[in-house]
């Protein structure tokens, strides 16, 4: 992959005002998605309050997604672990050489990370995988990576069990979510989220939306921050049109939703293979384009913004209006396209929380998951096919 430094201006804030509380009920997320019962082993249900959820509809005949209409599912999960109860050792996925998914092993005796002054220790309930996790494991970022061995994982949702001396707002017992690496390719943490505990700077976390369970919350941070930052850098705003390449992926599915339901796009078009076109529409796409049958270069209309989440910038620039923006998150860049690397920021999550809590924006979990903690290798292998729909989530963890 080719990744270069950002050339676009820093994000400004151009989203429409968050929904008022009265809009919550009118924007019920229950319709388009099927919500399964919370997937947690029976043995854990009593101890942590169980959670729950159910009902909902079906997104499309070919794909089933989990969404945010859990009825107060999440808060019932909370259990406060007193600092004295935090063990010294934990279970974690770890690798000590770069390679394919086979280098990963689940180990029992990994030291629970120390908490820095500005950090909290999170007992990890759920984590999500991102392509950057397997690219890192393959050694693609060797030059800037933390030393081996590595506990992988960027996205986390869990409960704060310890706070550093300089932590201002979070406290023990808070249910939080976030992407633990501030820069996706620099200063990466050696001890990531595929573990029972992970230490994270307070500023990278936000309080979890009340209506989401931990698996749903874990699916969001890196992908939604990438979607948001790209739209901001492109100067996206109400009344503009956007074409999303890769609309069914972790990032693309959130670009569609943010553009339509947060920014107030005039038109959202998105690409996927044939079986995922209905899903694109259910997320908010006005136009779902089958990339196996149509060429985006030949569409009869051009777009204010093209958001390329698949690495086809050379083609993407042919679908943008003159003076428009082409946001690229992967692959080589052709002018006027620009690429950026996401910055994790809990404030962005906090800003988007009202849209998640109202159901305007919904987590999209691949129906093959959530994968239990013992099946991280299988989860990686699946993500690495490049065919995942939405996010691949690991749950339950601790
Ligand atoms: N620069 C950054 O900061 C940043 C941040 C996040 C991600 N990324 C990168 O962005 C890329 C996307 O990330 P992601 O998390 O969204 O990946 P992902 O969830 O693994 O994407 C999988 C999806 O891509 C779709 N897809 C594959 N080829 C396609 C094509 N030619 N046209 C349309 N859709 C296609 C697949 O749909 P079909 O099955 O229908 O093909 C599938 O649903 C990755 O390379 C990742 O490393 C970069």
């Amino acid at each position: 992959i080719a990744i270069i430094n950002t050339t676009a201006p820093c994000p400004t804030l151009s989203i429409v005002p968050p929904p008022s509380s009265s809009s919550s009920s009118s924007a019920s997320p229950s319709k388009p998605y099927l919500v399964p019962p919370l997937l947690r082993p029976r043995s854990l249900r009593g101890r942590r309050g169980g959670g729950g959820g159910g009902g909902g509809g079906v997104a499309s005949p070919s794909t089933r997604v989990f969404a945010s209409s859990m009825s107060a599912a999440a808060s019932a999960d909370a259990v406060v672990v007193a600092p004295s109860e935090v063990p010294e050792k934990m279970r974690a996925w770890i690798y000590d050489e770069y390679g394919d998914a086979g280098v990963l092993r689940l180990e029992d005796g990994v030291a629970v990370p120390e908490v820095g002054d500005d950090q909290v220790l999170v007992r990890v309930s759920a984590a999500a995988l991102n392509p950057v996790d397997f690219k890192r494991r393959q050694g693609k970022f060797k030059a800037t990576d933390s030393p081996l061995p590595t506990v992988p994982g960027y996205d986390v949702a869990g409960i704060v069990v310890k706070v550093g001396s300089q932590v201002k707002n979070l406290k023990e017992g808070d249910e939080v979510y976030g992407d633990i690496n501030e820069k996706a390719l620099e200063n990466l943490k050696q001890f990531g989220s595929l573990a029972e505990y992970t230490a994270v700077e307070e500023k990278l976390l936000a309080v979890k939306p009340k209506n989401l369970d931990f698996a749903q919350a874990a699916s969001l941070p890196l992908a939604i921050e990438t979607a948001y930052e790209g739209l901001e850098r492109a100067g996206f705003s109400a009344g503009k049109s956007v074409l999303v390449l890769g609309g069914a992926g972790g990032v693309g599915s959130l670009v569609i939703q943010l553009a339509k339901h947060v920014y107030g796009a005039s038109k959202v078009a998105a690409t996927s293979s044939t079986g995922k076109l209905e899903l694109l529409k259910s997320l908010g796409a006005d136009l779902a384009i089958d990339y196996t049958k149509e060429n985006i270069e030949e569409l009869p209309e051009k777009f204010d913004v093209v958001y390329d989440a698949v690495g086809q910038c050379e083609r993407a620039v042919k679908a943008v209006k003159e003076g428009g923006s082409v946001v690229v998150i992967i692959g080589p860049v052709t002018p006027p396209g620009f690429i950026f690397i996401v910055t994790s920021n809990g404030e962005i999550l906090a800003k988007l929380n009202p849209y998640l809590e109202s159901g305007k924006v919904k987590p999209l979990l691949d129906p093959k998951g959530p994968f239990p903690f013992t099946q991280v290798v299988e989860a990686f292998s699946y993500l690495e096919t490049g065919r995942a729909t939405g996010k691949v989530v690991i749950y339950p963890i601790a």
Side-chain angles (χ1 to χ4, degrees):
I1 59 161
I3 290 180
I4 56 168
N5 279 337
T6 298
T7 55
C10 278
T12 52
L13 305 177
S14 56
I15 58 177
V16 297
S20 66
S21 52
S22 62
S23 66
S24 312
S25 50
S26 62
S28 165
S30 63
K31 281 224 164 124
Y33 300 143
L34 178 67
V35 180
L38 195 65
L39 301 178
R40 174 180 304 132
R42 205 162 278 285
S43 60
L44 290 176
R45 291 189 189 168
R47 185 166 69 87
R48 293 167 58 198
V58 178
S60 80
S62 58
T63 186
R64 202 183 63 150
V65 295
F66 300 167
S68 59
S69 58
M70 310 291 287
S71 54
S75 45
D77 262 55
V79 67
V80 180
V81 176
S84 57
E85 289 178 35
V86 176
E88 284 177 12
K89 303 277 180 187
M90 63 179 183
R91 287 206 310 162
W93 283 91
I94 197 162
Y95 55 89
D96 37 28
E97 59 178 318
Y98 293 117
D100 62 20
V103 299
L104 285 158
R105 63 175 198 281
L106 181 57
E107 212 171 85
D108 269 337
V110 177
V112 170
E114 295 290 326
V115 180
D117 291 345
D118 60 345
Q119 293 183 325
V120 301
L121 186 67
V122 177
R123 194 187 63 162
V124 181
S125 297
L129 303 186
N130 288 281
V132 69
D133 282 302
F134 67 75
K135 293 173 188 180
R136 180 187 185 194
R137 194 203 65 223
Q138 289 163 348
K140 293 198 166 137
F141 313 127
K142 247 180 221 174
T144 55
D145 204 351
S146 56
L148 294 164
T150 301
V151 172
Y154 285 60
D155 282 329
V156 69
I159 298 168
V160 173
V161 292
K162 201 190 262 189
V163 298
S165 60
Q166 301 299 314
V167 168
K168 294 187 176 63
N169 298 313
L170 292 179
K171 57 186 188 315
E172 284 161 31
D174 283 347
E175 299 178 356
V176 293
Y177 73 130
D179 164 6
I180 69 162
N181 287 307
E182 183 167 16
K183 283 284 174 194
L185 305 180
E186 293 165 33
N187 297 319
L188 299 178
K189 289 192 170 64
Q190 192 173 5
F191 296 95
S193 59
L194 288 169
E196 289 178 322
Y197 295 88
T198 194
V200 195
E201 290 75 10
E202 177 183 34
K203 67 180 181 182
L204 306 185
L205 297 170
V207 170
K208 180 174 71 60
K210 291 181 195 60
N211 58 322
L212 302 190
D213 67 25
F214 286 103
Q216 293 168 328
S219 76
L220 289 162
L222 190 148
I224 203 168
E225 287 167 343
T226 305
Y228 175 83
E229 190 174 336
L231 288 168
E232 285 293 310
R233 287 181 184 275
F236 201 69
S237 58
K240 289 191 177 178
S241 60
V242 61
L243 168 64
V244 186
L245 306 188
V251 177
S253 59
L254 286 159
V255 177
I256 294 172
Q257 294 189 73
L258 293 185
K260 188 71 180 182
H261 306 305
V262 175
Y263 287 84
S266 59
K267 181 162 192 174
V268 178
T271 64
S272 76
S273 56
T274 317
K276 299 177 180 176
L277 297 172
E278 283 307 310
L279 170 69
L280 300 187
K281 288 190 183 156
S282 78
L283 294 170
D286 304 292
L287 180 64
I289 301 162
D290 184 343
Y291 70 77
T292 69
K293 297 190 178 132
E294 286 185 77
N295 288 325
I296 53 158
E297 304 92 309
E298 290 160 15
L299 293 172
E301 63 192 306
K302 305 290 176 201
F303 297 85
D304 294 310
V305 169
V306 181
Y307 195 119
D308 175 15
V310 295
Q312 296 182 339
C313 185
E314 206 175 336
R315 300 177 62 197
V317 294
K318 296 184 180 142
V320 75
K321 283 182 187 167
E322 210 176 313
S325 299
V326 178
V327 187
V328 179
I329 59 169
I330 188 67
V333 179
T334 307
F338 69 88
I339 193 164
F340 74 98
I341 306 297
V342 64
T343 301
S344 169
N345 181 350
E347 281 179 22
I348 290 177
L349 297 179
K351 183 200 297 283
L352 293 172
N353 272 358
Y355 299 94
L356 291 157
E357 289 182 341
S358 71
K360 283 182 185 293
V361 177
K362 297 166 194 152
L364 176 62
L365 276 65
D366 187 281
K368 285 206 178 2
F371 290 81
F373 194 45
T374 51
Q375 285 180 19
V376 163
V377 173
E378 289 82 350
F380 264 114
S381 300
Y382 176 56
L383 180 70
E384 290 175 50
T385 64
R387 298 274 85 83
T389 301
K391 297 297 301 179
V392 173
V393 170
I394 311 299
Y395 175 86
I397 296 183

